[in-house]
């Protein structure tokens, strides 16, 4: 344990979180967003937090992982985690959130069709049009997309003037995505997991560069209304009921989020993108780490030897093709519950639960 570590370091969680929020960022990574005093981000309670904590608490980081995470925390840079499937890349993000008490992880899964806007915000233009058509059918004439809301929850007019609720009232159809929510101005950073970024369209890593560098983005649908309606309250990725005020259509962060990007190595990334990330390559865990993972995840005492032979089988089978750590956990869970208990079933049991992910037999 190193003195400079925040994640995985010494001291109580609250004390280390205080160190994190008070840590001076490099001059080129300082951001000046103004928090919304009426908005409170989800903290360490509720179902979403319980899922984050349950997944993150059983993670067993090694020294190189702690070094990389803490480097990213100090420099306010995204952490790009590469490695084979099943080595725990995604779980590392939950571990950071659970260890420092940073609230539920914001999860952005990436596919080949994902665009930058999907992560920043969603605008349901079709839903708005359908509501307007329904209103017109009911009233026999043109009408608003939605009934008149209160002034501060319409298109966001701060003064509630004559234009506060009209055909341009779009806030009920806007919602921040996981990246957009992570970039909200807050004194305490959120953890954002950008999962499997190597599956993205070739342009997405480049599109992320500006957002990661500037720590802000614009919502054009609100920016166009800013002269008449400078303030709007829209929903966040956490919940449609959690509204946050956006000024003049622009979201600016204050504490840069803890961004964990995972990649299975299916593609290379451009040098400008790599230059802006702290990189960590996770190797498959060895026997000692596997034992610590099993004890932590399944709450097994060190002297309990019922899983030792399964760890050896996992290592042996992994030599002929990749296996994921959760396959070992599944096998040990079955063993502890007396499933597949017959000695004659051992090979079939291993072939069923520890199917190789790569290699000739896949």
């Amino acid at each position: 344990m190193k003195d400079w570590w925040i994640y995985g370091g010494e001291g109580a969680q609250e004390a280390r979180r205080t160190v994190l929020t008070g840590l001076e960022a490099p001059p080129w990574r300082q951001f000046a967003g103004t928090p919304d005093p009426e908005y409170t981000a989800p903290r360490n309670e509720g179902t979403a937090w319980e899922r984050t904590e349950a997944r993150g608490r059983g993670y067993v980081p090694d020294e190189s992982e702690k070094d990389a995470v803490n480097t990213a925390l100090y420099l306010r840079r995204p952490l790009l985690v590469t490695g084979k499937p099943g080595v725990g890349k995604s779980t590392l993000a939950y571990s950071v959130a659970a260890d420092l008490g940073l609230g539920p992880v914001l999860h952005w899964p990436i596919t080949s069709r994902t665009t930058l806007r999907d992560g920043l915000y969603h605008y349901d233009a079709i839903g708005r049009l359908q509501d307007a058509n329904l209103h017109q059918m009911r009233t026999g004439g043109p009408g608003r997309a939605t009934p008149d809301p209160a002034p501060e929850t319409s298109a966001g007019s701060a003064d509630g003037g004559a234009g506060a609720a009209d055909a341009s009232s779009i806030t009920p159809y806007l919602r921040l995505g996981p990246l957009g929510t992570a970039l909200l101005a807050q004194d305490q950073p959120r953890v954002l997991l950008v999962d499997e970024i190597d599956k993205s369209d070739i342009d997405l890593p480049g599109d992320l560069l500006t957002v990661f560098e500037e720590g802000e983005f614009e919502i054009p649908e609100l920016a166009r209304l800013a002269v008449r309606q400078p303030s709007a309250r829209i929903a966040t990725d956490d919940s449609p009921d959690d509204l946050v005020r956006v000024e003049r259509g622009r979201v600016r962060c204050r504490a840069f989020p803890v961004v964990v990007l995972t990649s299975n190595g299916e593609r290379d990334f451009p040098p400008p993108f790599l230059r802006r990330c702290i990189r960590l390559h996770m190797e498959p865990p060895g026997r000692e780490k596997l034992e610590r993972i099993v004890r932590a995840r399944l709450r097994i005492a060190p002297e309990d030897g019922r899983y030792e032979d399964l760890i050896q089988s996992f290592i042996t089978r992994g030599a002929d093709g990749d296996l994921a750590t959760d396959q070992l956990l599944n096998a040990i869970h079955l063993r502890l519950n007396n499933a597949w208990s017959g000695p004659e079933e051992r090979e079939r049991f291993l072939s069923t639960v520890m199917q190789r992910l790569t290699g000739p037999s896949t």
Side-chain angles (χ1 to χ4, degrees):
M1 194 172 292
K2 302 179 183 179
D3 292 341
W4 66 281
W5 281 353
I6 303 173
Y7 166 68
E10 290 185 314
Q13 180 187 86
E14 184 176 354
R16 290 183 289 116
R17 187 168 63 244
T18 300
V19 171
L20 174 63
T21 55
L23 190 67
E24 185 177 1
W28 54 89
R29 297 296 294 162
Q30 294 179 0
F31 306 98
T34 303
D36 175 7
E38 300 177 34
Y39 170 73
T40 301
R43 295 306 184 198
N44 305 338
E45 59 184 11
T47 303
W49 167 248
E50 291 172 359
R51 288 197 298 266
T52 290
E53 188 175 37
R55 184 169 178 181
R57 283 297 178 193
Y59 187 79
V60 181
D62 57 28
E63 183 177 343
S64 64
E65 293 164 16
K66 292 179 183 178
D67 280 340
V69 170
N70 283 289
T71 299
L73 294 179
Y74 273 76
L75 295 179
R76 310 305 204 270
R77 288 291 185 185
L79 179 67
L80 176 60
V81 187
T82 58
K84 296 178 179 178
V87 296
K89 300 185 297 296
S90 300
T91 310
L92 177 60
Y94 291 86
S95 175
V96 175
D99 182 71
L100 296 174
L102 297 178
V105 168
L106 293 160
H107 183 205
W108 184 19
I110 304 298
T111 70
S112 60
R113 297 179 299 277
T114 301
T115 65
L116 177 62
R117 200 179 94 160
D118 295 329
L120 295 176
Y121 73 98
H122 307 283
Y123 173 43
D124 187 6
I126 295 177
R128 182 179 178 220
L129 179 61
Q130 290 174 336
D131 285 351
N133 290 337
L134 285 173
H135 183 86
Q136 184 173 353
M137 291 172 61
R138 290 168 180 165
T139 61
R144 310 183 198 283
T146 57
D148 289 357
E152 68 174 31
T153 59
S154 67
S157 175
D159 59 7
D166 56 20
S168 64
S169 179
I170 62 173
T171 52
Y173 307 95
L174 283 169
R175 183 175 179 180
L176 293 175
L179 174 56
T181 302
L183 289 171
L184 288 172
Q186 300 174 79
D187 293 320
Q188 177 178 302
R190 294 290 298 274
V191 177
L192 170 67
L193 170 61
V194 185
D195 216 1
E196 299 190 332
I197 191 172
D198 53 325
K199 288 184 167 56
S200 72
D201 177 86
I202 193 172
D203 293 326
L204 181 60
D207 293 340
L208 284 168
L209 289 181
T210 301
V211 176
F212 285 160
E213 282 299 295
E214 302 298 328
E216 61 181 74
F217 68 96
E218 183 181 80
I219 302 176
E221 291 82 358
L222 294 180
R224 285 194 292 267
L225 306 175
V227 173
R228 180 165 48 86
Q229 300 169 343
S231 181
R233 295 184 67 81
I234 63 175
T236 69
D237 186 68
D238 293 299
S239 168
D241 300 321
D242 292 339
L243 301 181
V244 64
R245 190 176 297 278
V246 176
E247 298 291 343
R248 308 193 71 82
R250 183 160 290 273
V251 174
R252 294 184 176 92
C253 79
R254 185 176 183 87
F256 190 76
V258 182
V259 181
V260 178
L261 308 105
T262 71
S263 169
N264 293 327
E266 295 184 5
R267 57 171 288 192
D268 295 327
F269 298 103
F273 178 79
L274 295 176
R275 181 173 66 84
R276 289 166 172 83
C277 296
I278 303 301
R279 285 179 277 174
L280 168 66
H281 182 75
M282 296 179 65
E283 295 289 348
R287 184 182 186 90
E288 180 182 353
K289 186 173 182 178
L290 286 172
E291 291 176 348
R292 288 190 289 136
I293 291 172
V294 168
R295 291 197 294 267
R297 297 291 288 180
L298 298 176
R299 299 181 178 88
I300 300 176
E303 61 273 12
D304 190 334
R306 288 178 291 175
Y307 59 88
E308 293 290 343
D309 64 313
L310 290 177
I311 291 180
Q312 185 56 52
S313 297
F314 179 83
I315 294 173
T316 301
R317 293 177 66 83
D320 296 327
D322 293 334
L323 294 172
T325 307
D326 62 345
Q327 292 174 293
L328 173 62
L329 296 175
N330 290 337
I332 296 175
H333 176 77
L334 289 167
R335 170 69 61 81
L336 296 177
N337 285 276
N338 298 315
W340 294 85
S341 55
E344 73 283 356
E345 296 182 313
R346 177 177 174 78
E347 286 305 315
R348 192 152 54 92
F349 164 58
L350 295 177
S351 298
T352 300
V353 182
M354 296 187 188
Q355 293 187 34
R356 296 177 179 87
L357 305 177
T358 61
S361 61
T362 57

